[in-house]
Amino acid sequence: MIPFIDLKAQYESIKEEILAAVSATLASTQFVLGKEVAAFEEEFAAYSGGKFGIGVNSGTSALHLALLAAGVKRGDEVITVSCTFVATVAAIDYIGARPVFVDVDPATLNMDAGQVEAAITERTKAILPVHLHGQSADLDPILDVARRHGLRVIEDAAQAHGAEYKGRRVGSIGDLGCFSFYPGKNLGAYGEGGMVVTNNEEFAHTIRMLRDWGQEQKYHHVLKGFNYRLEGVQGAILRVKLRHLEDWTEARRRHAAYYNELLADTAVARPLEMPYARHVYHVYAVQTPKRDRLQEALQAQGIQTGIHYPIPVHLQKAYQDFGYGPGDFPVTERAANELLSLPMFAELQNAQIDTVCTAVRDALNGG
Ligand SMILES: Cc1ncc(COP(=O)(O)O)c(C=O)c1O
């Protein structure tokens, strides 16, 4: 049996550090925000190359508040992709703004920068690229269009902690960067968590208020805010885990290189690391038209896989009101039909990758 992800193995390897950090936080009774969260905000912002970090209770909340800080209002348009987890789009919808989709580049499955300019209207306020699977979108052409049209760029870096674009860490390259610390993420809490990173002091100040009921000081509500605060225990856990993140990321990159080597002469398309990117392989996904058959064959041998994501957002039932339909984004729709995510976590063993790749080869030859 080879799991898709193994959170237990990681916990076992850092248990003593975690328990000490949790115990100290409980003793401090700083259950919501507090010292540990403040320290983690500083450390993670610095890690991501940003001046300010604002801890929130999920990646979705980070996106919601980043959009609000960027000035997105009801009726505005935000250009993004349908080839993403639903949260990217949900956050836009929370405001009553409208997501305007562009297709993705077939080489990377990230926003096709060449399609952005044609999607701009007088209602467009922001561009929201996603660093899918842990590889940065091609940001320079997106930033260039944004600058020329006076638009904000918000990075959805929920899957891309420590990923780089032209030598810079993602999340601090656009105006605002949004991270998720959902447990399965490359840097995962033991519960929910998220953060907005920015170099803009005014945005940071606004988001700090918005996450905590819009208060400038206790019971003085200057903005209509939310209860989106990060918990103290999660801050303490994330601080411990941040110290291991680079080692874990390097392990993921080694696993990806080994997968690439073993799958080189098979019929599956492997993820491409672009020359501008340091891919952090939150997901290692191959592409094949025989995806469903391959997934069944692997499952029969006890190898767990995932599909990220089987239905693009523009074809989800809940979002039919945006007016999109089948055929609107062919690259995105093909990816939804053909992507298969193989087991990927830092503690994965080469022998397990051998087993997975042999099973992939057998399944494809057998079919
Ligand atoms: C691309 C992307 N955006 C946003 C989110 C939302 O993060 P969260 O689950 O922490 O709300 C996720 C992950 O769940 C994600 O993968």
Side-chain angles (χ1 to χ4, degrees):
M1 156 84 190
I2 301 179
F4 178 64
I5 177 174
D6 186 353
L7 295 180
K8 263 193 189 155
Q10 191 190 70
Y11 175 60
E12 288 302 327
S13 74
I14 54 171
K15 194 171 172 179
E16 301 310 319
E17 287 172 89
I18 292 284
L19 291 178
V22 169
S23 171
T25 308
L26 295 184
S28 79
T29 71
Q30 295 192 340
F31 300 124
V32 177
L33 297 176
K35 247 180 30 218
E36 291 295 319
V37 168
F40 176 62
E41 289 175 333
E42 215 166 277
E43 289 160 9
F44 189 76
Y47 172 82
S48 300
K51 278 198 197 135
F52 308 100
I54 306 96
V56 291
N57 62 348
S58 73
T60 309
S61 300
L63 286 162
H64 186 193
L65 298 190
L67 287 158
L68 287 171
V72 176
K73 298 197 165 58
R74 179 170 296 278
D76 289 341
E77 292 176 359
V78 177
I79 297 171
T80 190
V81 289
S82 170
C83 188
T84 183
F85 181 62
V86 69
T88 314
V89 177
I92 298 168
D93 189 56
Y94 288 174
I95 297 176
R98 184 182 146 75
V100 173
F101 296 122
V102 294
D103 211 347
V104 291
D105 177 340
T108 60
L109 304 180
N110 278 324
M111 179 177 275
D112 183 345
Q115 297 187 23
V116 172
E117 195 143 24
I120 294 175
T121 73
E122 61 202 17
R123 297 187 156 209
T124 310
K125 278 281 166 57
I127 309 174
L128 206 179
V130 178
H131 305 312
L132 194 75
H133 298 171
Q135 172 157 255
S136 174
D138 190 5
L139 288 174
D140 274 349
I142 295 171
L143 290 164
D144 177 58
V145 176
R147 235 174 265 126
R148 284 189 284 108
H149 291 269
L151 307 174
R152 295 297 184 184
V153 173
I154 299 167
E155 299 173 59
D156 184 339
Q159 304 184 359
H161 319 74
E164 291 174 16
Y165 179 69
K166 298 186 179 173
R168 291 174 62 191
R169 294 239 168 96
V170 301
S172 59
I173 301 172
D175 294 290
L176 297 132
C178 302
F179 292 88
S180 163
F181 305 120
Y182 187 73
K185 293 293 195 280
N186 287 21
L187 180 61
Y190 292 168
E192 304 276 357
M195 192 176 292
V196 183
V197 169
T198 183
N199 286 309
N200 182 314
E201 191 166 6
E202 197 182 317
F203 289 164
H205 181 61
T206 301
I207 293 168
R208 239 171 248 293
M209 288 195 285
L210 286 174
R211 75 161 171 196
D212 188 19
W213 291 119
Q215 303 178 99
E216 196 150 44
Q217 59 189 82
K218 206 168 166 80
Y219 304 135
H220 291 246
H221 304 274
V222 299
L223 296 171
K224 289 181 178 169
F226 304 84
N227 178 357
Y228 280 176
R229 298 169 298 223
L230 183 61
E231 295 182 348
V233 165
Q234 303 307 340
I237 289 166
L238 288 162
R239 284 188 81 194
V240 169
K241 293 184 73 176
L242 180 57
R243 297 200 280 270
H244 297 274
L245 182 58
E246 277 303 292
D247 287 346
W248 292 333
T249 300
E250 282 307 314
R252 284 175 182 273
R253 289 178 52 75
R254 281 195 302 278
H255 301 330
Y258 193 47
Y259 268 126
N260 282 342
E261 188 187 319
L262 297 187
L263 296 174
D265 59 347
T266 66
V268 299
R270 298 161 295 161
L272 260 188
E273 183 177 49
M274 301 305 279
Y276 53 69
R278 180 200 192 211
H279 197 320
V280 296
Y281 295 101
H282 172 56
V283 167
Y284 180 94
V286 295
Q287 231 175 309
T288 166
K290 298 176 181 165
R291 189 264 310 277
D292 293 342
R293 199 161 3 121
L294 178 58
Q295 184 174 39
E296 277 167 34
L298 295 180
Q299 186 62 45
Q301 295 195 43
I303 300 168
Q304 287 182 350
T305 56
I307 297 178
H308 302 95
Y309 298 92
I311 305 172
V313 184
H314 73 281
L315 300 180
Q316 294 285 355
K317 191 169 161 204
Y319 295 109
Q320 286 313 291
D321 56 326
F322 299 147
Y324 293 104
D328 284 346
F329 306 104
V331 182
T332 296
E333 289 168 36
R334 187 171 149 200
N337 291 327
E338 297 192 349
L339 280 176
L340 186 67
S341 311
L342 302 182
M344 175 54 85
F345 47 94
E347 299 75 13
L348 193 64
Q349 303 293 316
N350 275 0
Q352 293 176 304
I353 299 177
D354 288 334
T355 305
V356 174
C357 293
T358 303
V360 169
R361 194 179 298 271
D362 290 349
L364 294 174
N365 289 342

